[in-house]
Amino acid sequence: SNTPCSLRPHQRSPCPPPSVQTGVLISKVDAAWDSSSGKCGIGVIFSGDVAFSHPTISDSLSHVSSALMAEAIAVHRAVALAFYSNVRSLAVLSDSLSLINLLKTRGCQPELFGIMFDIYHFMSYFDVISFAFISRNFNSEADSVAKSTLDQFVRNPIRGG
């Protein structure tokens, strides 16, 4: 079917990354959130034919309110790092369907207001920026970075914010 992945009703249908034109930096983002501690790990994997000096982001944070907020933080980190690295063409891929749908419609939810505002502000500086849903099996590298970062943070809580 030619229905875009973000419009398909069932996330189980395979949703591979979209084809991206040359010169666009690709960032696959994911987050892992622990509801009992409010801690999260984020993972971002950059790829594509663009020379980029930061292949991955892995970070952990405390006091995160929800899984959706953790995913939004991961997207924010990817967009901000690309912007500050003078990248002007970016494709953001995530397995968080609800966040991708918010980003595509420039929507917001009350708890996400500040971080979405920041993402939308950064977006205005890109020549090309796109957001696409990919199913989890196509996001395994970012997923494992996020999970291992969270796991280390929960076991050894000295580092992180």
Side-chain angles (χ1 to χ4, degrees), residues 53-117:
S53 54
H54 312 278
T56 63
I57 298 173
S58 63
D59 201 4
S60 51
L61 297 99
S62 305
H63 314 295
V64 177
S65 55
S66 68
L68 189 62
M69 175 61 91
E71 298 279 355
I73 290 167
V75 168
H76 183 275
R77 289 288 172 90
V79 171
L81 181 59
F83 169 75
Y84 288 119
S85 303
N86 293 313
V87 169
R88 290 298 172 261
S89 300
L90 180 68
V92 178
L93 310 179
S94 166
D95 59 28
S96 172
L97 187 61
S98 47
L99 182 62
I100 290 296
N101 285 337
L102 276 178
L103 288 162
K104 281 175 169 265
T105 60
R106 283 194 168 232
C108 199
Q109 288 183 359
E111 65 150 333
L112 301 178
F113 178 77
I115 197 152
M116 298 302 275
F117 181 86

Side-chain angles (χ1 to χ4, degrees), residues 6-156:
S6 57
L7 301 177
R8 289 183 196 161
H10 302 293
Q11 293 188 39
R12 294 221 162 79
S13 59
C15 218
S19 57
V20 173
Q21 65 195 67
T22 55
V24 175
L25 182 68
I26 298 163
S27 61
K28 290 184 175 181
V29 305
D30 205 2
W33 180 66
D34 179 50
S35 57
S36 60
S37 66
K39 294 174 178 176
C40 81
I42 62 170
V44 181
I45 310 293
F46 291 101
S47 62
D49 60 1
V50 182
F52 194 62
S53 54
H54 312 278
T56 63
I57 298 173
S58 63
D59 201 4
S60 51
L61 297 99
S62 305
H63 314 295
V64 177
S65 55
S66 68
L68 189 62
M69 175 61 91
E71 298 279 355
I73 290 167
V75 168
H76 183 275
R77 289 288 172 90
V79 171
L81 181 59
F83 169 75
Y84 288 119
S85 303
N86 293 313
V87 169
R88 290 298 172 261
S89 300
L90 180 68
V92 178
L93 310 179
S94 166
D95 59 28
S96 172
L97 187 61
S98 47
L99 182 62
I100 290 296
N101 285 337
L102 276 178
L103 288 162
K104 281 175 169 265
T105 60
R106 283 194 168 232
C108 199
Q109 288 183 359
E111 65 150 333
L112 301 178
F113 178 77
I115 197 152
M116 298 302 275
F117 181 86
D118 286 352
I119 293 169
Y120 297 144
H121 179 72
F122 279 123
M123 283 168 60
S124 63
Y125 293 100
F126 286 85
D127 298 327
V128 177
I129 186 164
S130 63
F131 299 94
F133 172 74
I134 52 173
S135 45
R136 187 160 292 153
N137 51 315
F138 291 104
N139 207 23
S140 56
E141 205 180 345
D143 179 62
S144 64
V145 169
K147 282 185 175 139
S148 64
T149 305
L150 174 62
D151 186 50
Q152 289 165 13
F153 186 35
V154 168
R155 281 183 294 135
N156 179 20

